[in-house]
Amino acid sequence: MPQRSEITLADGVRLHVTVSGPADATVTVVLLHGWCLDRRTWRDQVAALGGMGSKAPRVIAYDTRGHGRSGHTRLGSATLDQLGDDLAEVLRRFAPTGPVVLAGHSMGGMTIMEFAHRHPEEFSSRVAGLLLVSTTAEGHTHTHYGLPARVAGLLRAGETLGAGVLARSGAWRPHRMMLPALRPAIQWLLFGDDCAEAALKVTMGGIGRASLRSIGGFRESVGAQQRLDTLAALGGVPATVMVGDRDRLTPPACAESIADALPGARLEVLPGAGHMLPLERPDEVSTALVTIVRRAARAAKRSRRAAGEATTRCRRAA
């Protein structure tokens, strides 16, 4: 069973964290959810990682500030900059040593990019694999909601205005009575051809737990981020980029630009799928994540073996 924990950040915000898997695992996996969602987005992947038996990694999943069971954020801290710093603190507290695989969905993927930008030395020394799912490194550059450009522009203008209003509405969460009315629009926006009831329920639950300040406050930062240059500088870290070809928020063009920027990245485009790949296509996402973890574990073992052989040679020479 996952162990629940908390971390209080430097600005007083409390993060809700769950940890599972063996404490002495070769690799630690950190799962980062998307905007207006929570850590339950990754429930199928957590189960798949736990099913790896003796090779199971340690798994850390947490609710972003202002989301899920974590504490509220100040409006000025509802930024990707802050989320990148939050990830750095989670790693220092819960995974201070050893190789790490980072998996991010939507805003979670953008958080990983911000961590790489703001903490490059920590990233290069710790991160052994990446899974970037339904995300972007170019803000809202490619986001047209599956609509004609002129209509999409009007929708974005209305969305931006509404986000500003919500951001100033405080830390309270939408009343659950409102969620059924939003359900059809959310299903259209976030899901592809098929939408299982359980997947939609998890998604609606995450939205119901996000504060209005978080729903509106992160919009500006998410829309403005530009991190292709950061990705290009990461070197050969093993990475898989996944996107659904029915994704209306981060369409395939977003994933393609990420894969082009990341040296050696593997791109997977899933037909008929929308934005919620961890829930819509759990098997495909789990397979990709398990593959990355196994690769990172093999690399870690080779590194330890090489270090041991080097130590032995030095002792013999002495």
Side-chain angles (χ1 to χ4, degrees):
M1 290 294 293
Q3 296 179 341
R4 295 182 177 181
S5 186
E6 291 184 352
I7 177 175
T8 301
L9 302 170
D11 63 355
V13 173
R14 171 188 52 80
L15 295 187
H16 182 79
V17 183
T18 61
V19 181
S20 59
D24 60 350
T26 302
V27 175
T28 297
V29 178
V30 182
L31 304 171
L32 298 107
H33 66 78
W35 183 22
C36 305
L37 301 170
D38 60 33
R39 71 192 185 287
R40 294 175 299 170
T41 303
W42 294 102
R43 62 180 190 173
D44 293 298
Q45 289 68 49
V46 172
L49 294 171
M52 293 177 66
S54 61
K55 297 182 179 180
R58 193 163 182 248
V59 181
I60 299 169
Y62 66 94
D63 291 334
T64 296
R65 58 172 58 221
H67 295 71
R69 295 188 176 183
S70 289
H72 301 303
T73 184
R74 295 192 303 271
L75 182 55
S77 298
T79 66
L80 292 172
D81 286 358
Q82 183 63 61
L83 296 190
D85 292 345
D86 291 353
L87 173 55
E89 285 301 312
V90 169
L91 287 173
R92 293 164 191 162
R93 170 73 177 273
F94 292 96
T97 60
V100 173
V101 169
L102 300 178
H105 170 248
S106 193
M107 189 175 73
M110 303 178 83
T111 298
I112 292 171
M113 299 173 208
E114 205 61 35
F115 168 63
H117 175 72
R118 296 174 65 82
H119 306 272
E121 293 183 3
E122 288 184 65
F123 187 98
S124 62
S125 65
R126 300 295 311 286
V127 177
L130 291 174
L131 178 62
L132 300 173
V133 182
S134 307
T135 190
T136 180
E138 300 175 273
H140 56 54
T141 301
H142 300 291
T143 302
H144 300 295
Y145 313 102
L147 300 170
R150 184 173 181 179
V151 178
L154 292 173
L155 182 57
R156 180 178 297 122
E159 178 198 355
T160 302
L161 178 62
V165 174
L166 291 177
R168 295 187 293 274
S169 296
W172 66 283
R173 291 173 164 85
H175 194 281
R176 294 187 181 275
M177 291 289 288
M178 298 170 57
L179 294 181
L182 298 174
R183 180 184 172 115
I186 290 171
Q187 181 174 339
W188 172 82
L189 183 64
L190 299 183
F191 288 86
D193 293 345
D194 299 312
C195 178
E197 177 62 28
L200 185 56
K201 183 177 180 180
V202 171
T203 302
M204 298 299 294
I207 294 171
R209 287 183 170 187
S211 70
L212 293 181
R213 179 180 294 158
S214 297
I215 293 172
F218 282 102
R219 176 63 182 83
E220 181 178 358
S221 182
V222 166
Q225 189 187 40
Q226 298 290 321
R227 287 289 174 257
L228 289 179
D229 289 346
T230 297
L231 294 176
L234 294 184
V237 58
T240 295
V241 185
M242 305 184 76
V243 67
D245 71 355
R246 297 289 190 272
D247 193 329
R248 292 182 173 88
L249 286 183
T250 54
C254 298
E256 291 164 2
S257 65
I258 291 173
D260 288 343
L262 267 174
R266 180 171 176 265
L267 174 63
E268 290 188 34
V269 181
L270 304 186
H275 189 66
M276 298 300 296
L277 289 186
L279 294 170
E280 284 184 85
R281 301 294 176 86
D283 293 342
E284 290 92 331
V285 175
S286 295
T287 296
L289 183 54
V290 167
T291 299
I292 293 170
V293 170
R294 286 175 174 163
R295 183 175 178 180
R298 290 194 297 268
K301 290 179 180 178
R302 287 196 300 267
S303 179
R304 287 200 299 265
R305 190 181 304 118
E309 291 172 354
T311 300
T312 300
R313 288 196 297 270
C314 290
R315 288 175 177 173
R316 288 175 179 172

